[in-house]
Amino acid sequence: ACFRLLCSLLIPALFLSGILCVCLVVLLWGIRLWIQQRKKQLTSSGKDGKRPLLVAFFHPYCNAGGGGERVLWCAIRTLQKKYRNVTCVIYTGDRDATGEEIVEGAFRRFNIKLTHPVKFIFLEKRYLVEASLYPHFTLLGQSLGSVLLGWEALRKCTPDIYIDSMGYAFTLPLFKYLGDCRIGCYVHYPTISTDMLSVVRNQDTRFNNAAFITSSPLFSKFKLVYYYFFAFIYGLVGSCSDVIMVNSSWTLNHILYLWRAGSCTSIVYPPCDVQTFLDIPLEEEKSTTEYSIVSVGQFRPEKDHSLQIRAFAKLLKEKRLGQQPSLKLILIGGCRNQQDEEHVKNLKHLCEELGVSNNVMFRINIPFEELKRHLAEATVGLHTMWNEHFGIGVVECMAAGTVILAHNSGGPKLDIVVPYEGHTTGFLAENEDSYAEMMAYILSLSPEKRLEIRENARHSVHRFSDQHFEETFLLSVEPLIK
């Protein structure tokens, strides 16, 4: 009787599931045909009668001033120089600026001038990928939000080639299977990594792992299961890519593990404007009465500016330099939104609490020339992000002639602050104490010794130049354009 009851329930359920699956497939196929038909209607031929190849970059924050945006603009410039029949499109949520203002901002901040116009598709639902919208299950919320934002982008413009240049991997299947696009992506930082899993597993408190979770074995286990589930889905959507570019050895290791698409994955170091900084004359320091320590990086929690401020306060307090020269810490970075501005306010409060406000300067969204001037005058370049995927700011500091002190992890450890021809190019640290000690050590070196380290660092950064990026980027995207 129980078996008959089970069968009477199970068979209709399976039948209904089958019908729903068929309906879903038919619906998706219908949407795909509708998108293709719409694409044909909306795209027109060029002057030579041929339809231009539409290459679209998904970059909702293209008007921000970070390293990811420099990659975007260099990639577009590279394609424009190489291919005449390519029209570049940017999906952006920066509706507070016109396309002309965004392009002008790219030139002002990054010294990048495009040879042809860019088509901007302005998205209205960028708020769906804001972390502040999802106080819990942030990764999942932002990823699902990116799918809805991607759908808006796909409806407004269906390209031939889709390149996610900001890490929204969940949009890839959408453009591949519904938009029938060739798919590329440039991964700055995996949405989830084995390091994040280890932080939760070890119940370690960090900016992305709240104290109430670390203090509870039950919550930690639940979050670990959630992370493993998310990592599995992330691997599935990432593997939809035809071409995968990663920015460092650290990112490569994680993407190979998660996406398992080694045959189409390669390292393309991000373009750093090293030549502009190399043009700064490298001279022996004239003044030993005042030193400036400069940090370059967007004002986001993961950049860990608070560690810089605490280590700097410790350095000032302990007066390790004997007859203490005047010291100042200059924090240079971009603010993308109100959340970033709030973060800067909190950092300023921390300076007040530690009594170092008079020695710390905040320089926000400054022009390129001012950035260059600060780096030219600096003695130490500071970087504190744990597992920084690459670290363009680190390279810029080295090219400008500062003695770099970066975090002993991620891109700086594996790719950038490494010996060059057996010689020291900079230093690494991990916590407040080691940063304070290492800053004191660098400032205690003779000007001649510092000059030697600065010269070694400069020689080592040519592999991160715009030219090297252009060569490796074109090699990677060639299969998409053929």
Side-chain angles (χ1 to χ4, degrees):
C2 287
F3 179 73
R4 281 200 302 273
L5 177 64
L6 189 64
C7 285
S8 66
L9 293 172
L10 190 61
I11 291 169
L14 289 172
F15 181 70
L16 185 62
S17 299
I19 290 174
L20 289 172
C21 286
V22 170
C23 290
L24 182 62
V25 169
V26 170
L27 176 66
L28 293 174
W29 187 255
I31 292 171
R32 179 186 164 104
L33 289 175
W34 173 72
I35 287 172
Q36 293 308 304
Q37 192 63 35
R38 202 159 175 268
K39 179 181 177 181
K40 287 176 185 174
Q41 291 170 354
L42 293 175
T43 53
S44 56
S45 300
K47 292 177 183 177
D48 57 358
K50 291 181 181 178
R51 191 178 67 80
L53 194 69
L54 281 183
V55 180
F57 291 83
F58 191 75
H59 208 105
Y61 296 91
C62 75
N63 204 28
E69 286 67 57
R70 190 166 208 286
V71 171
L72 169 73
W73 297 112
C74 278
I76 290 171
R77 182 179 64 182
T78 302
L79 288 176
Q80 288 183 344
K81 276 165 45 176
K82 173 74 174 177
Y83 299 103
R84 289 186 179 181
N85 198 38
V86 160
T87 297
C88 290
V89 175
I90 300 175
Y91 298 116
T92 179
D94 294 301
R95 293 186 299 143
D96 56 344
T98 64
E100 292 79 12
E101 287 169 344
I102 293 171
V103 170
E104 175 58 32
F107 176 66
R108 187 170 53 86
R109 288 176 189 160
F110 305 119
N111 203 28
I112 294 171
K113 196 157 188 71
L114 302 180
T115 54
H116 300 293
V118 172
K119 183 180 178 183
F120 289 91
I121 303 296
F122 290 94
L123 306 175
E124 295 172 18
K125 295 182 173 63
R126 189 177 71 178
Y127 66 89
L128 291 172
V129 296
E130 293 278 355
S132 56
L133 193 63
Y134 312 99
H136 306 294
F137 299 100
T138 311
L139 291 180
L140 188 60
Q142 284 183 290
S143 298
L144 294 176
S146 73
V147 175
L148 297 174
L149 188 63
W151 171 242
E152 182 191 348
L154 184 60
R155 278 191 300 107
K156 288 184 172 179
C157 175
T158 306
D160 301 293
I161 297 167
Y162 172 78
I163 299 175
D164 167 41
S165 51
M166 217 181 153
Y168 293 109
F170 281 67
T171 63
L172 302 178
L174 192 69
F175 280 82
K176 187 180 182 81
Y177 298 115
L178 292 185
D180 194 27
C181 306
R182 282 160 275 170
I183 303 295
C185 59
Y186 190 95
V187 184
H188 297 276
Y189 197 83
T191 305
I192 192 165
S193 65
T194 53
D195 293 309
M196 288 168 71
L197 292 169
S198 69
V199 164
V200 179
R201 194 185 302 112
N202 298 332
Q203 295 180 242
D204 186 4
T205 305
R206 287 187 183 268
F207 75 91
N208 60 351
N209 198 35
F212 80 90
I213 290 175
T214 60
S215 61
S216 167
L218 180 64
F219 281 143
S220 290
K221 283 185 174 63
F222 179 76
K223 186 168 184 178
L224 196 59
V225 170
Y226 158 57
Y227 266 17
Y228 273 113
F229 169 74
F230 185 87
F232 173 71
I233 303 298
Y234 181 60
L236 286 180
V237 297
S239 63
C240 294
S241 305
D242 300 304
V243 165
I244 301 164
M245 295 166 278
V246 298
N247 64 347
S248 69
S249 302
W250 182 87
T251 308
L252 176 71
N253 293 334
H254 288 283
I255 289 300
L256 287 177
Y257 177 80
L258 293 162
W259 291 10
R260 304 190 184 280
S263 60
C264 60
T265 307
S266 58
I267 295 179
V268 177
Y269 286 129
C272 308
D273 193 11
V274 293
Q275 193 53 55
T276 301
F277 292 105
L278 290 171
D279 289 340
I280 298 170
L282 194 62
E283 300 169 350
E284 194 172 304
E285 301 153 32
K286 292 170 186 167
S287 169
T288 54
T289 57
E290 181 179 271
Y291 293 119
S292 70
I293 298 165
V294 169
S295 158
V296 180
Q298 283 187 311
F299 287 105
R300 305 201 307 261
E302 61 268 31
K303 295 295 182 181
D304 211 351
H305 288 92
S306 59
L307 173 57
Q308 298 176 10
I309 294 165
R310 291 196 308 273
F312 180 70
K314 198 174 188 72
L315 176 69
L316 288 180
K317 187 179 178 183
E318 297 190 4
K319 297 187 184 236
R320 297 172 188 239
L321 303 174
Q323 187 166 3
Q324 181 84 358
S326 171
L327 280 177
K328 58 182 176 181
L329 173 63
I330 305 171
L331 304 178
I332 301 171
C335 275
R336 302 164 301 170
N337 48 37
Q338 193 176 350
Q339 197 175 358
D340 290 352
E341 288 167 12
E342 198 63 39
H343 183 57
V344 171
K345 282 183 188 173
N346 293 336
L347 292 172
K348 287 180 177 177
H349 286 315
L350 178 63
C351 291
E352 288 170 13
E353 284 172 25
L354 297 172
V356 294
S357 293
N358 294 335
N359 298 79
V360 180
M361 289 172 57
F362 288 82
R363 308 298 296 137
I364 300 161
N365 296 332
I366 62 172
F368 183 77
E369 284 304 314
E370 189 179 341
L371 164 69
K372 194 172 159 183
R373 180 173 58 79
H374 281 301
L375 286 175
E377 294 169 357
T379 303
V380 180
L382 198 58
H383 164 275
T384 46
M385 180 175 170
W386 172 72
N387 273 340
E388 170 76 88
H389 38 292
F390 179 72
I392 288 180
V394 175
V395 174
E396 289 176 344
C397 286
M398 291 167 73
T402 70
V403 179
I404 192 68
L405 174 57
H407 200 281
N408 188 26
S409 64
K413 178 183 180 180
L414 296 174
D415 293 305
I416 306 173
V417 191
V418 294
Y420 177 74
E421 296 181 351
H423 300 294
T424 301
T425 58
F427 301 92
L428 300 167
E430 291 181 11
N431 52 39
E432 188 180 320
D433 289 335
S434 60
Y435 268 100
E437 286 169 15
M438 200 54 74
M439 280 190 282
Y441 172 72
I442 293 167
L443 296 171
S444 71
L445 293 172
S446 67
E448 295 80 20
K449 182 61 182 173
R450 278 199 295 268
L451 182 62
E452 184 187 314
I453 294 167
R454 292 158 65 204
E455 285 173 342
N456 294 336
R458 276 197 156 185
H459 291 314
S460 75
V461 298
H462 287 286
R463 62 213 162 98
F464 308 123
S465 65
D466 285 3
Q467 185 183 352
H468 191 263
F469 169 82
E470 288 179 7
E471 291 166 3
T472 52
F473 178 77
L474 287 173
L475 275 174
S476 295
V477 298
E478 197 176 10
L480 296 175
I481 294 174
K482 276 185 175 177

